[in-house]
């Protein structure tokens, strides 16, 4: 079996943030599942075992692990905040949010260093197709 390319190592602060997310009761199921995936991955669980325990596909576990290693915990928070911003009133002088305005807003909030309008489109498309 090949070794893992994306090894999840969590700091104490990241563990605390994920535990808080699990127990605060105000987050989307998808976010809670991702938090559980990361915590179990950090404990050394195999992807197939995590997938079975959480009733998700192995690809979901692999993507979550990869996204965390490449982008950090901020990426998960950025997605949640992005959705909240998209549902809020558009900036002054605008009738609606554009993908680029939303991308710029996530960066301005300091959630990530860079965010493309294409990333915004993917997040919102995924969100709308799962709640259609």
């Amino acid at each position: 079996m090949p070794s893992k390319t994306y090894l999840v190592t969590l700091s104490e602060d990241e563990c605390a943030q994920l535990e808080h997310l699990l127990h605060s009761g105000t987050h989307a199921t998808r976010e809670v599942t991702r938090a559980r995936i990361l915590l179990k991955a950090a404990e050394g669980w195999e992807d197939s075992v995590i997938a079975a325990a959480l009733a998700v596909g192995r690809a979901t576990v692999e993507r979550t692990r990869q996204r965390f290693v490449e982008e950090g915990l901020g990426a998960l928070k950025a997605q949640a905040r992005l959705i909240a911003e998209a549902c809020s009133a558009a900036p002054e002088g605008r009738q609606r949010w554009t993908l680029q305005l939303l991308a710029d807003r996530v960066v301005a909030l300091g959630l990530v260093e860079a965010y493309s309008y294409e990333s915004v489109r993917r997040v919102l498309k995924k969100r709308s197709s799962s709640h259609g």
Side-chain angles (χ1 to χ4, degrees), residues 12-56:
E12 286 183 31
D13 183 53
E14 289 169 333
C15 281
Q17 288 179 49
L18 291 171
E19 290 291 344
H20 176 74
L21 189 148
L22 290 180
H23 301 292
S24 65
T26 59
H27 298 280
T29 303
R30 184 178 291 172
E31 291 175 58
V32 171
T33 300
R34 287 181 182 144
R36 287 190 173 121
I37 288 169
L38 291 174
L39 288 167
K40 292 183 183 320
E43 291 174 8
W45 289 38
E46 289 290 325
D47 289 357
S48 58
V49 176
I50 296 171
L54 300 179
V56 298

Side-chain angles (χ1 to χ4, degrees), residues 1 14 18 28 42-43 49-50 54 56 63 72-73 76-77 82 86 94-95 99 101 109 111 117 122-123 125 128-129:
M1 181 169 243
E14 289 169 333
L18 291 171
E43 291 174 8
V49 176
I50 296 171
L54 300 179
V56 298
R63 272 192 315 272
L73 204 50
L76 300 178
K77 289 185 195 174
L82 166 64
R94 299 288 191 142
Q95 288 189 327
L99 296 178
L101 282 173
L109 290 168
L111 298 171
Y117 74 89
R122 279 195 307 268
V123 169
K125 181 179 181 193
S128 66
S129 65

Side-chain angles (χ1 to χ4, degrees), residues 3 23 28 100 115 126 131:
S3 63
H23 301 292
Q100 189 61 57
Y115 212 74
K126 192 181 306 177
H131 290 83

